[in-house]
Amino acid sequence: MPSDYKKLYEFCQELTPDIRRNDIKNKVLDICDQRSVRVIITTMNTAIMRGAFLGPKSGHPYVENSGVPYIVLARGLNYCWERFIFIKELMHFFDKEEEKTTSVVFEPLLDSFSSPSSLEERSPIYLSEIKAVWMAIACFCPEENRLKLKNDLLNGHIDEYGIALKLKMPAQHIRHLMSDKFEAIIGSLTE
């Protein structure tokens, strides 16, 4: 049986290059058997984080009181960043039990992002953040279109910023989308 994320990835392959976040949201909710997700826009230090996912078992009062998961987005993000962070936080619906963030582990998780020590072993929760970024990147561009854009990039017909504008995603993630490791990473996430 395919992984739940693989179902989403395959769904995204059928979308046009102009991918709408609500199409992805609706498919994630369907795959994960969730009725809805709410969004809160609030002030946060974007040097540390741009968003958060308050899942069904997060223990957060908003979720406890409403029974609905929340995506928290930083106020002031531009359109591309808000869209990307929204999709990235949606990817946490696919987290395994040991990857889910609760209010108890949230502060230590933030500390691990800003900690200068790279010698510590990364927790499953930390690794789920990395996976969520790659999963979101893959949702923005069907593979056929990605390969065409990569060819255009290599031949000098477009630059990374031009690709970012076409896909309406932050330019800093285009290098991941065009990376030679992309197919292997997405392959491991869709097993």
Side-chain angles (χ1 to χ4, degrees):
M1 182 171 131
S3 73
D4 286 343
Y5 175 70
K6 183 175 184 172
K7 293 174 193 172
L8 176 65
Y9 179 76
E10 289 172 350
F11 169 78
C12 290
Q13 298 309 299
E14 303 302 319
L15 299 176
T16 66
D18 186 25
I19 293 173
R20 300 170 53 115
R21 73 174 126 186
N22 279 334
D23 292 339
I24 296 171
K25 177 195 79 171
N26 293 337
K27 188 64 175 179
V28 169
L29 294 175
D30 180 54
I31 291 168
C32 297
D33 198 27
Q34 295 288 317
R35 58 187 169 103
S36 66
V37 61
R38 294 184 182 163
V39 175
I40 300 172
I41 297 177
T42 189
T43 302
M44 58 177 70
N45 182 346
T46 56
I48 298 172
M49 63 187 280
R50 293 183 176 99
F53 178 69
L54 307 175
K57 297 179 182 178
S58 66
H60 193 281
Y62 287 154
V63 177
E64 297 286 315
N65 291 331
S66 68
V68 176
Y70 280 79
I71 291 176
V72 182
L73 299 172
R75 181 175 282 115
L77 295 176
N78 69 31
Y79 176 80
C80 294
W81 270 110
E82 184 177 300
R83 187 171 123 91
F84 181 79
I85 297 300
F86 178 82
I87 299 300
K88 182 250 177 206
E89 297 304 337
L90 271 177
M91 298 302 103
H92 289 297
F93 273 110
F94 300 113
D95 284 349
K96 297 174 186 153
E97 203 57 44
E98 67 273 10
E99 296 171 330
K100 294 180 180 183
T101 304
T102 64
S103 54
V104 173
V105 299
F106 190 71
E107 288 297 325
L109 177 63
L110 284 180
D111 289 344
S112 72
F113 291 141
S114 58
S115 171
S117 172
S118 61
L119 300 176
E120 296 174 19
E121 187 174 322
R122 299 298 183 193
S123 71
I125 296 168
Y126 181 91
L127 294 174
S128 82
E129 289 298 318
I130 295 168
K131 284 176 24 181
V133 168
W134 282 97
M135 292 161 75
I137 289 169
C139 288
F140 278 85
C141 187
E143 183 64 7
E144 182 179 324
N145 192 42
R146 187 187 80 82
L147 293 173
K148 181 189 175 310
L149 288 169
K150 186 173 183 176
N151 187 55
D152 289 347
L153 178 67
L154 292 172
N155 290 316
H157 301 297
I158 195 168
D159 61 12
E160 288 184 0
Y161 187 71
I163 294 171
L165 289 175
K166 276 183 178 282
L167 300 178
K168 299 178 190 135
M169 68 183 280
Q172 82 177 48
H173 292 300
I174 299 304
R175 64 185 166 88
H176 300 304
L177 183 67
M178 297 296 140
S179 166
D180 291 335
K181 300 183 291 184
F182 180 84
E183 289 177 49
I185 291 169
I186 298 308
S188 72
L189 294 171
T190 56
E191 291 180 332

